[in-house]
Amino acid sequence: MFRAPVTAGELLQVVRGEVGATRASLGERTGMSRMAVEQRLSILVENGLVVADGLEQSTGGRPPAQFRFNSEGGVVVAVDIGISAVRVALADLAGDLLMDVSGSISIEDGPEVVLGLVEKYADELIAKRPRPVELWGMGIGVPGPVEFEQGRVVAPPFMPGWDRYPIRDWATQRFGCPTVVDKDANIMALGEFHSSWSHLRHILFVKAGTGVGCGIITDGRIYRGANGAAGDLGHIEIADGDEIADGEAPTCRCGNVGCVEAMAGGWALVRDLRNKGIEVTTAGDVARMARAGDPGVLAAIRKAGRILGHALADAVNFFNPSVLVIGGAIGQAHGELLAGVREVVYRRSLTLATSDLQIVPSALAERAGVVGAAHLIGEQVMEAGAVDARLAASTKM
Ligand SMILES: [Zn+2]
């Protein structure tokens, strides 16, 4: 039960959670008087957040109007910045994508160049939005560790020039809206959760691309840990014997020896394949050759899957997820990576932890990031307090 008085933002949460809400049902749910319900409802209707929707079956007299949340009352921009590509999408307030655009980048060109392209794409999409509604927020994923409270990346291994760059402040200045910045594997995990797995509570998403990242969803929310560093699967040390010979462990980009990523990351696959005389330069090249069925590349990916499987077997024992989703450029290129992961995880994890465990490919593939980013910012701007603050600001204008 709500304490009275209930704000318009709080009433909106009740409307969102109820099918066929009427003035009477909202009064019952909130304990508010009919007049108070009417006053809050009219604010929400005037601001396009709630619409009257159909009529309730009635035993006589005038049927009462039903109300529902209007997800078309605003838009959010969702951005997924990768090592070599960027995707920008426009979504409604429920996180459903309306349109998206993508292009090639090199993350090493630095924040000014890459964010300049993000700005151009976002401006184009906002100009094309189906209705003249306001931009409510922006969600941005980046391929490096993120200090979540500050909205910036910290010591990212693949992102020269980005260390502590204030990405969130940049977006707030350019677009004048609330912005949230997170690491790419987190938003991808959230995207997969909302599109396929919201009936379950605990999922792990693995991004097997140039690097190896992992996003953790627990009780339907991203788990970030104390500093935002949770889920850094790529730099777990693989023991001798875990698919590698004594003395074989290579040095990682992070400076340590024997990291998962130094053997199973896209950049490590490029290194190993080039040493065997196979002409590849990027993780994208590896993915293309895997799709073409090159046996040498497929064998290397299978081995990478088994190495990843050793780290994931520990993660499964530790976290006991219902689903392991495998995505990223290498992960979604071919089933070999998934097969290698399955082979080791089902063998090495505890029976209880794997009894209901599903290991599946990403359903959203290259759109997982923008779908997740849209949900992440959508959840934030639709919180009761955020909605009330926005309504208060709009009435002052
Ligand atoms: Zn490392």
Side-chain angles (χ1 to χ4, degrees):
M1 203 60 186
F2 282 85
R3 53 171 174 68
V6 171
T7 67
E10 287 167 341
L11 186 66
L12 181 63
Q13 313 304 315
V14 182
V15 174
R16 289 175 76 196
E18 188 175 338
V19 177
T22 64
R23 290 180 179 87
S25 75
L26 292 171
E28 266 170 43
R29 294 273 307 272
T30 60
M32 277 196 294
S33 69
R34 194 179 167 87
M35 191 188 286
V37 169
E38 186 58 42
Q39 192 261 343
R40 310 291 194 278
L41 255 186
S42 61
I43 292 172
L44 294 171
V45 171
E46 275 166 30
N47 283 275
L49 292 174
V50 164
V51 287
D53 189 33
L55 298 173
E56 193 182 53
Q57 292 295 321
S58 176
T59 48
R62 191 160 136 246
Q66 294 187 351
F67 296 89
R68 67 168 170 85
F69 169 54
N70 179 32
S71 60
E72 297 169 355
V75 289
V76 295
V77 167
V79 181
D80 181 14
I81 299 173
I83 302 280
S84 59
V86 61
R87 184 173 294 270
V88 181
L90 200 67
D92 69 13
L93 294 177
D96 290 330
L97 294 199
L98 303 170
M99 54 184 107
D100 67 339
V101 59
S102 69
S104 295
I105 56 153
S106 173
I107 197 74
E108 298 186 354
D109 288 341
E112 276 83 12
V113 172
V114 172
L115 294 176
L117 185 65
V118 167
E119 184 176 2
K120 175 177 169 284
Y121 283 161
D123 284 339
E124 285 170 11
L125 291 175
I126 292 165
K128 281 197 251 173
R129 68 197 188 282
R131 274 161 237 86
V133 290
E134 280 180 40
L135 175 64
W136 277 58
M138 202 158 181
I140 303 176
V142 290
V146 171
E147 198 174 31
F148 186 70
E149 299 297 326
Q150 275 68 42
R152 58 187 189 179
V153 289
V154 176
F158 298 110
M159 301 170 71
W162 289 80
D163 190 19
R164 293 180 165 81
Y165 189 88
I167 301 171
R168 189 182 58 197
D169 297 346
W170 166 84
T172 307
Q173 270 173 20
R174 296 296 165 94
F175 294 93
C177 64
T179 301
V180 61
V181 181
D182 211 337
K183 73 166 178 173
D184 55 0
N186 284 353
I187 57 167
M188 293 166 116
L190 194 66
E192 293 289 336
F193 171 77
H194 280 288
S195 69
S196 304
W197 304 104
S198 57
H199 56 294
L200 301 172
R201 287 156 61 198
H202 310 296
I203 81 168
L204 275 186
F205 176 88
V206 176
K207 184 194 179 195
T210 302
V212 173
C214 178
I216 304 167
I217 302 290
T218 179
D219 282 327
R221 304 185 76 85
I222 295 170
Y223 178 80
R224 297 188 180 86
N227 300 91
D232 205 342
L233 195 82
H235 303 282
I236 288 176
E237 189 182 1
I238 289 293
D240 281 355
D242 287 354
E243 318 298 333
I244 55 167
D246 284 349
E248 194 195 342
T251 303
C252 185
R253 287 216 185 182
C254 72
N256 288 323
V257 172
C259 294
V260 169
E261 192 175 287
M263 284 169 277
W267 65 266
L269 287 171
V270 167
R271 177 202 60 210
D272 293 348
L273 291 168
R274 286 180 73 88
N275 285 343
K276 286 180 183 158
I278 299 175
E279 272 309 306
V280 284
T281 311
T282 64
D285 295 340
V286 177
R288 266 188 294 282
M289 290 186 74
R291 276 195 288 268
D294 184 287
V297 171
L298 290 182
I301 290 181
R302 180 79 174 216
K303 184 180 176 189
R306 286 196 294 265
I307 286 166
L308 208 50
H310 282 279
L312 283 170
D314 293 344
V316 164
N317 283 345
F318 203 77
F319 176 63
N320 190 195
S322 303
V323 193
L324 255 182
V325 183
I326 311 287
I330 305 284
Q332 68 211 25
H334 200 281
E336 275 313 288
L337 191 90
L338 197 73
V341 168
R342 282 192 176 126
E343 198 184 309
V344 177
V345 168
Y346 286 123
R347 176 158 53 84
R348 289 289 303 264
S349 297
L350 293 173
T351 308
L352 180 60
T354 54
S355 55
D356 297 315
L357 176 69
Q358 302 180 64
I359 304 178
V360 299
S362 161
L364 294 170
E366 69 276 11
R367 287 194 174 77
V370 285
V371 170
H375 276 281
L376 185 60
I377 186 62
E379 283 167 12
Q380 183 179 306
V381 298
M382 292 314 294
E383 277 173 8
V387 170
D388 285 326
R390 193 179 174 90
L391 293 173
S394 72
T395 49
K396 273 182 212 138
M397 286 197 303

